[in-house]
Amino acid sequence: MRSKFLFLLLFVISANGFAQKKFTLSLSGYYDVHNRALSDDFYGIDVVCSYRLFSHWKVGIGTGLGNVDWDKRVTEAQKAKGMRNNLLFLPVEAQIRFDLLKDGITPYVGIKGTYCFTLTRHNNDLGGGCKPFIGIEIPVGSSFSVHLQYAYNLQKLTRNIYQPGGGGMTGYGWSGYPPASYPPVTIIMGSTGEFNEFALGAAFSF
């Protein structure tokens, strides 16, 4: 009799544990502000499907669509030489998140890894990135919720600046390049951009 009772108890505990595991589909809009003036701003939407691995932990994968305004200082003359000031990209993302509470209004923390693929022809390029984030999720009904989130976005940036004739970069604060009679050159500048990202989104759990 005792063994049957223990078996039943274990079954109930296991069933309750599996019931807590659920999927969540979230849609967020975000805006990234570069932490240096007169530089690059990102904005776009993210779609993430996550799975509650344990009572407080979620893992997820996602994608989306984004745009970067690349250097607001680009002039029309520089655009004619191959520079563009916007770039459309497709991010592929994986994240892990820890909820401080099991239900109700829940603060959370997490980290997201990304890789961005460019969708438009552009002289510049993106790459891998990392986003530690914090946020708060507010339930609206039994299956829906809204969330506010802040992330510190570290994003790989590569500028492949094609210069017909190899000169005329003084608009970027650079000088000393050869005159226009020289062959074309490509200047490759790799860096990691640091952005403050603000996001607002909604989620459906099932």
Side-chain angles (χ1 to χ4, degrees), residues 36-116:
R36 300 175 185 174
L38 296 176
S39 196
D40 320 305
D41 290 348
F42 286 66
Y43 52 89
I45 58 172
D46 271 346
V47 179
V48 176
C49 183
S50 59
Y51 179 73
R52 186 175 293 278
L53 191 61
F54 302 108
S55 58
H56 291 272
W57 291 93
K58 287 182 178 180
V59 293
I61 56 173
T63 185
L65 186 65
N67 184 76
V68 52
D69 290 330
W70 210 303
D71 262 308
K72 301 170 185 177
R73 299 163 289 177
V74 173
T75 65
E76 292 300 322
Q78 289 169 332
K79 289 179 184 179
K81 295 180 179 179
M83 300 184 198
R84 296 293 181 267
N85 63 353
N86 77 294
L87 174 65
L88 197 64
F89 63 90
L90 177 75
V92 177
E93 308 166 343
Q95 71 175 37
I96 184 169
R97 168 179 144 173
F98 178 78
D99 294 343
L100 274 66
L101 302 174
K102 288 185 179 181
D103 50 28
I105 299 176
T106 305
Y108 60 84
V109 297
I111 190 167
K112 177 185 295 188
T114 65
Y115 192 89
C116 297

Coordinates of all heavy atoms in Angstrom, one line a residue, residues 36-116:
R36 N 27.7 56.4 -28.8 CA 28.5 57.6 -29.2 C 27.7 58.4 -30.2 O 26.9 57.9 -30.9 CB 29.8 57.1 -30.0 CG 30.6 56.2 -29.1 CD 31.8 55.6 -29.9 NE 32.6 54.7 -29.1 CZ 33.6 53.9 -29.6 NH1 33.9 54.0 -30.9 NH2 34.2 53.1 -28.9
A37 N 27.9 59.7 -30.1 CA 27.1 60.6 -30.9 C 27.4 60.5 -32.4 O 28.5 60.0 -32.8 CB 27.3 62.1 -30.5
L38 N 26.4 60.8 -33.2 CA 26.6 60.9 -34.7 C 27.1 59.6 -35.3 O 27.9 59.5 -36.1 CB 27.6 62.0 -35.1 CG 27.2 63.4 -34.7 CD1 28.3 64.4 -35.1 CD2 25.9 63.8 -35.5
S39 N 26.4 58.5 -34.8 CA 26.9 57.2 -35.4 C 25.6 56.4 -35.8 O 24.7 56.9 -36.3 CB 27.7 56.5 -34.4 OG 28.4 55.4 -35.0
D40 N 25.7 55.1 -35.5 CA 24.7 54.2 -36.1 C 23.6 53.8 -35.2 O 23.8 53.4 -34.1 CB 25.5 52.9 -36.6 CG 26.8 53.2 -37.1 OD1 26.9 54.0 -38.1 OD2 27.8 52.7 -36.6
D41 N 22.3 53.9 -35.7 CA 21.2 53.5 -34.9 C 20.5 52.3 -35.6 O 20.4 52.2 -36.8 CB 20.2 54.6 -34.8 CG 20.7 55.7 -33.9 OD1 21.7 55.5 -33.2 OD2 20.0 56.8 -33.9
F42 N 20.1 51.3 -34.7 CA 19.4 50.1 -35.2 C 18.0 50.2 -34.8 O 17.6 50.7 -33.7 CB 20.0 48.8 -34.6 CG 21.4 48.4 -35.2 CD1 22.5 49.2 -35.0 CD2 21.5 47.2 -35.8 CE1 23.7 48.8 -35.4 CE2 22.7 46.8 -36.3 CZ 23.8 47.6 -36.1
Y43 N 17.1 49.6 -35.6 CA 15.7 49.4 -35.2 C 15.1 48.2 -36.0 O 15.6 47.9 -37.1 CB 14.9 50.7 -35.4 CG 14.9 51.3 -36.8 CD1 14.0 50.9 -37.8 CD2 15.9 52.3 -37.1 CE1 14.1 51.5 -39.0 CE2 15.9 52.9 -38.3 CZ 15.1 52.5 -39.3 OH 15.1 53.1 -40.5
G44 N 14.1 47.6 -35.5 CA 13.5 46.5 -36.2 C 12.5 45.7 -35.3 O 12.1 46.2 -34.3
I45 N 12.2 44.5 -35.7 CA 11.3 43.6 -35.0 C 12.0 42.2 -34.8 O 12.8 41.8 -35.6 CB 9.9 43.4 -35.7 CG1 10.1 42.9 -37.1 CG2 9.1 44.7 -35.7 CD1 8.8 42.5 -37.8
D46 N 11.6 41.6 -33.7 CA 12.1 40.3 -33.4 C 11.0 39.3 -33.1 O 10.0 39.7 -32.5 CB 13.0 40.3 -32.1 CG 14.5 40.6 -32.4 OD1 14.8 40.5 -33.6 OD2 15.2 40.9 -31.5
V47 N 11.1 38.1 -33.6 CA 10.1 37.0 -33.3 C 10.9 35.9 -32.6 O 11.9 35.4 -33.2 CB 9.4 36.5 -34.5 CG1 8.4 35.4 -34.1 CG2 8.7 37.6 -35.2
V48 N 10.6 35.5 -31.4 CA 11.3 34.5 -30.6 C 10.3 33.4 -30.1 O 9.3 33.8 -29.5 CB 12.0 35.1 -29.4 CG1 12.7 34.0 -28.6 CG2 13.1 36.1 -29.9
C49 N 10.7 32.2 -30.3 CA 9.9 31.1 -29.8 C 10.8 30.5 -28.7 O 11.9 30.0 -28.9 CB 9.6 30.0 -30.8 SG 8.6 28.6 -30.2
S50 N 10.2 30.4 -27.5 CA 11.0 29.9 -26.3 C 10.3 28.8 -25.6 O 9.1 28.6 -25.8 CB 11.2 31.1 -25.3 OG 10.0 31.6 -24.8
Y51 N 11.1 28.0 -24.9 CA 10.6 26.8 -24.2 C 11.0 26.9 -22.7 O 12.1 27.2 -22.4 CB 11.2 25.6 -24.8 CG 10.7 24.3 -24.2 CD1 9.4 23.8 -24.4 CD2 11.6 23.6 -23.4 CE1 9.0 22.6 -23.8 CE2 11.2 22.4 -22.8 CZ 9.9 21.9 -23.0 OH 9.5 20.8 -22.4
R52 N 10.0 26.7 -21.9 CA 10.3 26.7 -20.4 C 11.0 25.4 -20.1 O 10.3 24.4 -19.9 CB 9.0 26.9 -19.6 CG 9.3 27.1 -18.1 CD 8.0 27.5 -17.4 NE 7.5 28.8 -17.7 CZ 7.9 29.9 -17.3 NH1 9.0 29.9 -16.4 NH2 7.4 31.1 -17.6
L53 N 12.3 25.5 -19.9 CA 13.1 24.3 -19.6 C 12.8 23.8 -18.2 O 12.7 22.6 -17.9 CB 14.5 24.6 -19.9 CG 15.5 23.4 -19.9 CD1 15.1 22.4 -21.0 CD2 16.9 23.9 -20.1
F54 N 12.9 24.8 -17.2 CA 12.6 24.5 -15.8 C 11.6 25.6 -15.3 O 11.2 26.5 -16.1 CB 13.9 24.5 -15.0 CG 14.9 23.5 -15.4 CD1 16.0 23.9 -16.0 CD2 14.6 22.2 -15.2 CE1 17.0 23.0 -16.4 CE2 15.6 21.2 -15.6 CZ 16.7 21.6 -16.2
S55 N 11.3 25.6 -14.1 CA 10.2 26.5 -13.6 C 10.6 28.0 -13.8 O 9.8 28.9 -14.0 CB 9.9 26.3 -12.1 OG 11.1 26.4 -11.3
H56 N 11.9 28.3 -13.7 CA 12.4 29.7 -13.9 C 13.2 29.9 -15.1 O 13.5 31.1 -15.4 CB 13.2 30.1 -12.6 CG 12.4 30.2 -11.4 ND1 11.8 31.4 -11.0 CD2 12.2 29.3 -10.4 CE1 11.2 31.2 -9.8 NE2 11.4 29.9 -9.4
W57 N 13.5 28.9 -15.9 CA 14.4 29.1 -17.0 C 13.7 28.8 -18.3 O 12.9 27.9 -18.5 CB 15.6 28.0 -16.9 CG 16.5 28.3 -15.8 CD1 16.5 27.8 -14.5 CD2 17.7 29.2 -15.8 NE1 17.5 28.3 -13.8 CE2 18.3 29.1 -14.5 CE3 18.3 29.9 -16.8 CZ2 19.4 29.8 -14.2 CZ3 19.4 30.7 -16.5 CH2 20.0 30.6 -15.2
K58 N 14.0 29.7 -19.3 CA 13.5 29.6 -20.7 C 14.7 29.6 -21.7 O 15.6 30.4 -21.5 CB 12.6 30.7 -21.0 CG 11.2 30.6 -20.3 CD 10.3 31.8 -20.8 CE 9.0 31.7 -20.2 NZ 8.1 32.9 -20.7
V59 N 14.6 28.8 -22.7 CA 15.6 28.9 -23.8 C 14.8 29.2 -25.1 O 13.6 28.8 -25.2 CB 16.4 27.6 -24.0 CG1 17.3 27.4 -22.8 CG2 15.5 26.4 -24.1
G60 N 15.4 29.9 -26.0 CA 14.6 30.2 -27.2 C 15.5 30.5 -28.4 O 16.7 30.7 -28.3
I61 N 14.9 30.4 -29.6 CA 15.5 30.8 -30.8 C 14.6 31.8 -31.6 O 13.4 31.8 -31.3 CB 15.8 29.6 -31.7 CG1 14.5 28.8 -32.0 CG2 16.9 28.7 -31.1 CD1 14.7 27.7 -33.0
G62 N 15.2 32.6 -32.4 CA 14.3 33.6 -33.1 C 15.0 34.2 -34.3 O 16.1 33.9 -34.7
T63 N 14.3 35.0 -34.9 CA 14.7 35.8 -36.1 C 14.0 37.1 -36.1 O 13.3 37.5 -35.2 CB 14.5 35.0 -37.4 OG1 15.1 35.7 -38.5 CG2 13.1 34.8 -37.7
G64 N 14.1 37.8 -37.2 CA 13.4 39.1 -37.3 C 13.8 39.9 -38.6 O 14.2 39.3 -39.5
L65 N 13.6 41.2 -38.5 CA 14.0 42.0 -39.6 C 14.4 43.4 -39.0 O 13.7 43.9 -38.2 CB 12.8 42.2 -40.6 CG 13.1 43.0 -41.9 CD1 14.1 42.2 -42.7 CD2 11.8 43.2 -42.6
G66 N 15.6 43.8 -39.5 CA 16.1 45.1 -38.9 C 16.7 46.0 -39.9 O 17.0 45.6 -41.1
N67 N 17.0 47.2 -39.5 CA 17.6 48.2 -40.4 C 18.6 49.0 -39.5 O 18.3 49.3 -38.4 CB 16.5 49.2 -41.0 CG 17.2 50.1 -42.0 OD1 17.5 49.8 -43.1 ND2 17.3 51.4 -41.5
V68 N 19.7 49.4 -40.1 CA 20.6 50.2 -39.5 C 20.9 51.5 -40.3 O 21.1 51.4 -41.5 CB 22.0 49.5 -39.2 CG1 22.5 48.9 -40.4 CG2 23.0 50.5 -38.6
D69 N 20.7 52.7 -39.7 CA 21.0 53.9 -40.3 C 22.5 54.1 -40.2 O 23.0 54.5 -39.1 CB 20.3 55.1 -39.7 CG 18.8 55.0 -40.0 OD1 18.5 54.5 -41.1 OD2 18.0 55.5 -39.2
W70 N 23.3 53.8 -41.2 CA 24.7 53.8 -41.1 C 25.3 55.1 -41.4 O 25.4 55.5 -42.6 CB 25.3 52.7 -42.1 CG 26.5 52.1 -41.6 CD1 27.7 52.7 -41.3 CD2 26.7 50.7 -41.4 NE1 28.6 51.8 -40.9 CE2 28.0 50.5 -40.9 CE3 25.9 49.6 -41.6 CZ2 28.6 49.3 -40.6 CZ3 26.4 48.3 -41.3 CH2 27.8 48.2 -40.8
D71 N 25.8 55.8 -40.4 CA 26.4 57.1 -40.5 C 25.5 58.1 -41.1 O 25.4 58.3 -42.3 CB 27.7 57.0 -41.3 CG 28.9 56.9 -40.4 OD1 29.0 57.7 -39.5 OD2 29.7 56.0 -40.5
K72 N 24.9 58.9 -40.2 CA 24.0 60.0 -40.7 C 24.8 61.1 -41.3 O 24.2 62.0 -41.9 CB 23.3 60.5 -39.4 CG 22.5 59.4 -38.7 CD 22.0 59.9 -37.4 CE 21.2 58.8 -36.7 NZ 20.8 59.2 -35.4
R73 N 26.1 61.1 -41.3 CA 26.9 62.1 -41.9 C 27.2 61.9 -43.4 O 27.9 62.7 -44.0 CB 28.3 62.2 -41.1 CG 28.1 62.6 -39.7 CD 29.4 62.3 -38.9 NE 29.6 60.9 -38.8 CZ 30.6 60.3 -38.2 NH1 31.6 61.1 -37.7 NH2 30.7 59.0 -38.1
V74 N 26.8 60.8 -44.0 CA 27.1 60.5 -45.4 C 26.4 61.5 -46.2 O 25.2 61.7 -46.1 CB 26.6 59.1 -45.7 CG1 26.7 58.8 -47.2 CG2 27.4 58.1 -44.9
T75 N 27.1 62.1 -47.1 CA 26.6 63.1 -48.0 C 26.2 62.5 -49.4 O 26.5 61.3 -49.7 CB 27.7 64.2 -48.3 OG1 28.8 63.6 -49.0 CG2 28.2 64.8 -47.0
E76 N 25.5 63.3 -50.2 CA 25.0 62.7 -51.5 C 26.3 62.4 -52.4 O 26.3 61.5 -53.1 CB 24.1 63.8 -52.2 CG 22.8 64.0 -51.5 CD 22.0 62.7 -51.5 OE1 22.0 61.9 -52.4 OE2 21.3 62.4 -50.5
A77 N 27.3 63.2 -52.3 CA 28.5 63.0 -53.1 C 29.2 61.7 -52.6 O 29.6 60.9 -53.5 CB 29.5 64.2 -52.9
Q78 N 29.2 61.4 -51.3 CA 29.7 60.1 -50.9 C 28.9 58.9 -51.3 O 29.4 57.9 -51.6 CB 29.9 60.2 -49.3 CG 31.0 61.2 -48.9 CD 31.0 61.4 -47.4 OE1 30.0 61.4 -46.8 NE2 32.2 61.8 -46.9
K79 N 27.6 59.1 -51.3 CA 26.7 58.0 -51.7 C 27.0 57.7 -53.2 O 26.9 56.5 -53.6 CB 25.2 58.5 -51.6 CG 24.7 58.5 -50.2 CD 23.3 59.0 -50.2 CE 22.7 59.2 -48.8 NZ 21.3 59.6 -48.8
A80 N 27.3 58.7 -54.0 CA 27.6 58.5 -55.4 C 28.9 57.7 -55.6 O 29.1 57.0 -56.6 CB 27.7 59.8 -56.2
K81 N 29.7 57.7 -54.6 CA 31.0 56.9 -54.6 C 30.8 55.5 -54.0 O 31.8 54.8 -53.9 CB 32.1 57.7 -53.9 CG 32.4 59.0 -54.5 CD 33.5 59.7 -53.7 CE 33.9 61.0 -54.3 NZ 35.0 61.7 -53.5
G82 N 29.6 55.1 -53.7 CA 29.4 53.8 -53.2 C 29.0 53.6 -51.8 O 28.7 52.5 -51.3
M83 N 28.9 54.7 -51.0 CA 28.5 54.7 -49.6 C 27.0 54.7 -49.5 O 26.3 55.4 -50.3 CB 29.1 55.8 -48.8 CG 30.6 55.9 -48.8 SD 31.1 57.2 -47.7 CE 32.8 57.4 -48.3
R84 N 26.4 54.0 -48.6 CA 25.0 54.0 -48.3 C 24.8 54.3 -46.8 O 25.6 53.9 -46.0 CB 24.3 52.7 -48.7 CG 24.4 52.4 -50.2 CD 23.6 53.4 -51.0 NE 23.6 53.2 -52.4 CZ 24.5 53.7 -53.3 NH1 25.4 54.6 -52.8 NH2 24.4 53.4 -54.5
N85 N 23.7 54.9 -46.4 CA 23.5 55.2 -45.0 C 22.4 54.3 -44.4 O 21.9 54.6 -43.3 CB 23.2 56.7 -44.8 CG 21.9 57.1 -45.5 OD1 21.3 56.3 -46.2 ND2 21.4 58.3 -45.3
N86 N 22.0 53.2 -45.1 CA 21.1 52.3 -44.4 C 21.3 50.9 -44.9 O 21.8 50.7 -46.0 CB 19.6 52.7 -44.6 CG 19.1 52.3 -46.0 OD1 19.5 52.9 -46.9 ND2 18.2 51.4 -46.0
L87 N 21.1 49.9 -44.1 CA 21.3 48.5 -44.4 C 20.2 47.6 -43.7 O 20.0 47.7 -42.5 CB 22.7 48.1 -43.8 CG 23.1 46.6 -43.9 CD1 23.2 46.2 -45.3 CD2 24.4 46.4 -43.1
L88 N 19.6 46.8 -44.6 CA 18.5 45.9 -44.1 C 19.2 44.6 -43.7 O 20.0 44.1 -44.5 CB 17.5 45.7 -45.2 CG 16.1 45.1 -44.8 CD1 15.4 46.1 -43.8 CD2 15.3 44.9 -46.0
F89 N 18.8 44.0 -42.6 CA 19.5 42.8 -42.2 C 18.5 41.8 -41.5 O 17.4 42.2 -41.1 CB 20.6 43.0 -41.2 CG 20.2 43.7 -39.9 CD1 19.9 42.9 -38.8 CD2 20.2 45.1 -39.8 CE1 19.5 43.5 -37.6 CE2 19.8 45.7 -38.6 CZ 19.5 44.9 -37.5
L90 N 18.9 40.5 -41.5 CA 18.1 39.4 -40.9 C 18.9 38.8 -39.8 O 19.9 38.2 -40.1 CB 17.8 38.4 -42.0 CG 17.0 37.1 -41.5 CD1 15.6 37.5 -41.3 CD2 17.1 36.0 -42.5
P91 N 18.5 39.0 -38.5 CA 19.2 38.3 -37.4 C 18.7 36.9 -37.2 O 17.6 36.6 -37.3 CB 18.8 39.2 -36.3 CG 17.5 39.7 -36.6 CD 17.4 39.8 -38.1
V92 N 19.7 36.1 -36.8 CA 19.4 34.7 -36.3 C 19.8 34.7 -34.8 O 21.0 35.0 -34.5 CB 20.1 33.6 -37.1 CG1 19.8 32.2 -36.5 CG2 19.6 33.7 -38.6
E93 N 19.0 34.3 -33.9 CA 19.2 34.5 -32.5 C 19.0 33.2 -31.7 O 18.2 32.4 -32.0 CB 18.3 35.6 -32.0 CG 18.3 36.8 -32.8 CD 17.1 37.8 -32.4 OE1 16.1 37.3 -31.8 OE2 17.2 39.0 -32.8
A94 N 19.7 33.1 -30.6 CA 19.5 32.1 -29.5 C 19.6 32.8 -28.2 O 20.5 33.6 -28.0 CB 20.5 30.9 -29.7
Q95 N 18.8 32.4 -27.3 CA 18.8 33.1 -26.0 C 18.5 32.2 -24.8 O 17.9 31.1 -25.0 CB 17.8 34.3 -26.0 CG 16.4 33.9 -25.9 CD 15.4 35.1 -25.8 OE1 15.7 36.2 -26.3 NE2 14.4 34.9 -25.0
I96 N 18.9 32.6 -23.6 CA 18.5 31.9 -22.4 C 18.1 33.0 -21.4 O 18.6 34.1 -21.4 CB 19.7 31.1 -21.8 CG1 19.2 30.3 -20.6 CG2 20.9 31.9 -21.5 CD1 20.2 29.2 -20.1
R97 N 17.0 32.7 -20.7 CA 16.4 33.7 -19.8 C 16.0 33.1 -18.5 O 15.6 31.9 -18.4 CB 15.1 34.3 -20.5 CG 14.2 35.1 -19.6 CD 13.1 35.6 -20.4 NE 11.9 35.7 -19.6 CZ 10.7 36.2 -20.0 NH1 10.6 36.7 -21.2 NH2 9.7 36.2 -19.2
F98 N 16.2 33.9 -17.4 CA 15.8 33.4 -16.1 C 14.8 34.4 -15.5 O 15.0 35.6 -15.4 CB 17.1 33.5 -15.2 CG 16.8 33.1 -13.7 CD1 16.6 31.8 -13.4 CD2 16.6 34.1 -12.7 CE1 16.3 31.4 -12.1 CE2 16.4 33.7 -11.4 CZ 16.2 32.4 -11.1
D99 N 13.6 33.8 -15.2 CA 12.5 34.6 -14.6 C 12.7 34.6 -13.1 O 12.8 33.5 -12.4 CB 11.2 34.0 -14.9 CG 10.8 34.1 -16.4 OD1 11.5 34.9 -17.1 OD2 10.0 33.4 -16.9
L100 N 12.6 35.7 -12.4 CA 12.8 35.8 -11.0 C 11.6 35.2 -10.2 O 11.7 34.8 -9.1 CB 13.1 37.2 -10.6 CG 14.5 37.7 -10.6 CD1 15.0 37.8 -12.1 CD2 14.7 39.1 -10.0
L101 N 10.4 35.3 -10.9 CA 9.2 34.7 -10.3 C 8.6 33.7 -11.2 O 8.8 33.8 -12.4 CB 8.2 35.8 -10.0 CG 8.7 37.0 -9.0 CD1 7.6 38.1 -8.9 CD2 9.0 36.4 -7.6
K102 N 7.8 32.8 -10.7 CA 7.1 31.8 -11.5 C 5.9 32.3 -12.3 O 5.6 31.9 -13.4 CB 6.7 30.6 -10.6 CG 7.8 29.7 -10.1 CD 7.2 28.5 -9.4 CE 8.4 27.6 -8.9 NZ 7.8 26.4 -8.2
D103 N 5.2 33.3 -11.7 CA 4.0 33.8 -12.3 C 3.8 35.2 -11.9 O 4.5 35.8 -11.0 CB 2.8 32.9 -12.1 CG 2.6 32.6 -10.6 OD1 3.0 33.5 -9.8 OD2 2.0 31.6 -10.3
G104 N 2.7 35.8 -12.4 CA 2.4 37.2 -12.1 C 3.4 38.2 -12.8 O 4.0 37.8 -13.8
I105 N 3.5 39.4 -12.3 CA 4.4 40.4 -12.9 C 5.8 39.9 -12.6 O 6.2 39.8 -11.4 CB 4.1 41.8 -12.3 CG1 2.7 42.2 -12.7 CG2 5.2 42.8 -12.8 CD1 2.3 43.6 -12.1
T106 N 6.6 39.6 -13.6 CA 7.9 38.9 -13.4 C 9.0 39.6 -14.0 O 9.1 39.8 -15.2 CB 7.8 37.5 -14.1 OG1 6.7 36.8 -13.6 CG2 9.0 36.7 -13.9
P107 N 10.0 40.1 -13.1 CA 11.3 40.6 -13.7 C 12.1 39.4 -14.2 O 11.9 38.3 -13.7 CB 11.9 41.2 -12.4 CG 10.8 41.3 -11.4 CD 9.9 40.2 -11.7
Y108 N 12.9 39.7 -15.2 CA 13.8 38.6 -15.7 C 15.1 39.2 -16.2 O 15.3 40.4 -16.4 CB 13.1 37.9 -16.9 CG 12.7 38.8 -18.0 CD1 13.6 39.0 -19.1 CD2 11.4 39.3 -18.2 CE1 13.3 39.8 -20.1 CE2 11.1 40.1 -19.2 CZ 12.0 40.4 -20.2 OH 11.7 41.2 -21.3
V109 N 16.1 38.3 -16.4 CA 17.4 38.6 -16.9 C 17.8 37.5 -17.9 O 17.2 36.4 -17.9 CB 18.5 38.7 -15.8 CG1 18.2 39.8 -14.8 CG2 18.6 37.4 -15.0
G110 N 18.7 37.8 -18.8 CA 19.1 36.8 -19.8 C 20.2 37.3 -20.6 O 20.7 38.4 -20.5
I111 N 20.5 36.5 -21.6 CA 21.6 36.8 -22.6 C 21.2 36.2 -23.9 O 20.6 35.1 -24.0 CB 23.0 36.4 -22.1 CG1 24.1 37.0 -23.0 CG2 23.1 34.8 -22.1 CD1 25.5 36.8 -22.5
K112 N 21.5 37.0 -25.0 CA 21.1 36.5 -26.3 C 22.3 36.6 -27.2 O 23.1 37.6 -27.2 CB 20.0 37.4 -26.9 CG 19.6 37.2 -28.3 CD 18.6 38.2 -28.8 CE 17.3 38.2 -28.0 NZ 16.2 39.0 -28.6
G113 N 22.6 35.6 -28.0 CA 23.6 35.6 -29.1 C 23.0 35.8 -30.4 O 21.9 35.2 -30.7
T114 N 23.5 36.6 -31.3 CA 22.9 36.9 -32.6 C 24.0 36.8 -33.7 O 25.2 37.0 -33.5 CB 22.3 38.3 -32.6 OG1 23.4 39.3 -32.5 CG2 21.3 38.5 -31.5
Y115 N 23.5 36.5 -34.9 CA 24.3 36.7 -36.1 C 23.4 37.3 -37.2 O 22.3 36.9 -37.4 CB 24.9 35.4 -36.6 CG 25.9 35.6 -37.7 CD1 27.3 35.8 -37.3 CD2 25.6 35.7 -39.0 CE1 28.2 36.0 -38.3 CE2 26.5 36.0 -40.0 CZ 27.9 36.1 -39.6 OH 28.8 36.4 -40.6
C116 N 23.9 38.4 -37.8 CA 23.1 39.2 -38.7 C 23.5 39.0 -40.2 O 24.7 39.1 -40.5 CB 23.2 40.7 -38.4 SG 22.5 41.1 -36.8

